[in-house]
Amino acid sequence: MDSPKVRFQGGAAAVTDALASHVRAKGVKIVLGCVVNKISTTDADAVLVEGVELAEPRSWRAGAALLAIPPRLILPPLISWEPSLPAELAEAAGATPTWMADTTKVLVTYPRPFWREQGLSGTAMGYGEGPINQLYDSCGSDGSEPHALCGFIFGAGADLPGDDTLRLRVIEQLERMFGAEARSALSFSSHRWGEQPLTSGNGGGTGGGHDDMGKSELKIPFGSASHGGAPRVWLSAAETDARHAGLMEGALVAGKRVAEQVILAGIVASKQDSEAAKEEEATCTASGGNAL
Ligand SMILES: Cc1cc2nc3c(=O)[nH]c(=O)nc-3n(C[C@H](O)[C@H](O)[C@H](O)COP(=O)(O)OP(=O)(O)OC[C@H]3O[C@@H](n4cnc5c(N)ncnc54)[C@H](O)[C@@H]3O)c2cc1C
């Protein structure tokens, strides 16, 4: 395989960090570490969002709530809804997998990028009879430090118990691919996305393809007093976009689509809400994304 085409300098978090700085510069407060667990749309004028931050209850009243979280995470019991979610939406959300939620990611760093010195890209797929299904060179720009290989493991390999076993199997595989120098690893780290409830849901990670995403029911705004008033809630997850389903590009496309719809809907906070918003206008996520 060729080397990866596009990589973010400083990692993908550089994008969300830059967005956060932009938003903060406009005076918007970003709340991190708060898990939203209830959304009510019984009031005709606003949506009420409730959550928990460090065991303390938090709540916001707003003109609109934009949920940029994987669709299946909007379902009870993760978030309870008053009134209940529209049935077609709940069904579509439950049938939409989170992209790569069943994946374990491993990163191995080395003193030297020996694979590059062998004229190899470090990028491989389904090679070397081991747990890693996809492998990518993960060095800094132009091969600078850290000298790293990053692997994605899904399927049976992701079920390997314990990090020690995983490390052993991964290094053995890299040795088969690149030779004995693969044993000179400086560090090994792994992250099991299937065990992250705010990515994969409480049921653990389940795989799924791009074709299972982008369902039209997920793009219909919902939640208004007795479902007769104006919509108050929009989903803008990467998994709502059919073309770039589950990918970062999908998140951007979905975010833009929803932003345009909210502006078109003319949703503005009431004066009373605006006063409260000065104190509490918020983007609320558990670990740094843009969930609310
Ligand atoms: C292992 C792996 C590898 C990937 N590789 C690539 C790749 O190479 N290229 C690519 O384009 N995409 C890749 N993706 C997909 C990419 O990560 C997503 O497309 C992107 O993160 C989606 O952005 P988002 O803002 O829609 O949602 P997310 O990044 O999922 O952000 C949602 C945020 O909401 C938080 N949250 C969830 N529930 C709640 C709640 N109830 N209350 C408050 N906060 C909540 C979560 O903690 C998270 O911070 C990969 C994904 C995984 C798991």
Side-chain angles (χ1 to χ4, degrees), residues 34-36 68-69 99-100 193 198 238 246-248 251 285-287 289-291:
C34 171
V35 179
V36 169
I69 62 176
W99 180 243
M100 293 195 78
W193 285 95
L198 295 184
L247 300 174
M248 283 183 257
T285 79
S287 60
N290 56 339

Side-chain angles (χ1 to χ4, degrees), residues 18-285:
L19 282 169
S21 307
H22 180 71
V23 169
R24 284 193 181 107
K26 289 181 180 293
V28 174
K29 189 177 170 195
I30 297 179
V31 177
L32 302 175
C34 171
V35 179
V36 169
N37 56 19
K38 183 168 182 194
I39 301 180
S40 313
T41 55
T42 43
D43 187 332
D45 302 326
V47 49
L48 182 68
V49 176
E50 295 172 65
V52 179
E53 182 186 3
L54 297 175
E56 289 296 320
R58 301 284 306 263
S59 67
W60 293 270
R61 225 176 95 86
L66 319 185
L67 305 184
I69 62 176
R72 63 173 46 179
L73 303 194
I74 70 167
L75 296 175
L78 289 166
I79 298 181
S80 60
W81 292 84
E82 201 178 319
S84 321
L85 285 172
E88 311 77 43
L89 170 68
E91 194 181 324
T96 301
T98 306
W99 180 243
M100 293 195 78
D102 59 344
T103 302
T104 292
K105 187 171 179 176
V106 293
L107 191 81
V108 190
T109 62
Y110 287 99
R112 300 183 320 117
F114 51 86
W115 55 95
R116 288 183 174 227
E117 292 161 13
Q118 295 169 21
L120 298 171
S121 66
T123 302
M125 217 174 251
Y127 191 82
E129 294 167 31
I132 298 174
N133 305 83
Q134 293 175 7
L135 186 74
Y136 299 96
D137 176 294
S138 221
C139 291
S141 337
D142 301 323
S144 63
E145 288 186 352
H147 302 133
L149 290 169
C150 162
F152 289 129
I153 302 175
F154 35 83
D159 297 331
L160 280 174
D163 276 1
D164 288 345
T165 311
L166 193 60
R167 181 185 198 282
L168 195 68
R169 297 283 162 74
V170 163
I171 301 291
E172 283 171 357
Q173 181 180 5
L174 295 178
E175 189 177 351
R176 282 192 291 278
M177 295 168 83
F178 301 112
E181 198 163 355
R183 271 183 270 159
S184 65
L186 291 174
S187 71
F188 171 87
S189 46
S190 66
H191 193 77
R192 295 174 191 255
W193 285 95
E195 293 174 4
Q196 298 299 316
L198 295 184
T199 293
S200 63
N202 277 346
T206 47
H210 293 298
D211 292 346
D212 301 317
M213 300 174 191
K215 294 180 174 50
S216 55
E217 294 86 348
L218 302 175
K219 293 182 196 145
I220 303 170
F222 61 96
S224 51
S226 65
H227 295 286
R232 296 280 167 202
V233 186
W234 277 258
L235 298 190
S236 80
E239 285 80 5
T240 64
D241 185 55
R243 180 145 179 239
H244 310 283
L247 300 174
M248 283 183 257
E249 185 68 16
L252 297 175
V253 171
K256 189 161 182 281
R257 169 179 55 80
V258 164
E260 285 167 358
Q261 287 179 0
V262 171
I263 291 165
L264 274 178
I267 295 207
V268 284
S270 69
K271 191 155 183 275
Q272 186 193 347
D273 291 340
S274 301
E275 291 303 314
K278 275 185 196 150
E279 201 51 40
E280 282 296 355
E281 194 171 345
T283 294
C284 171
T285 79

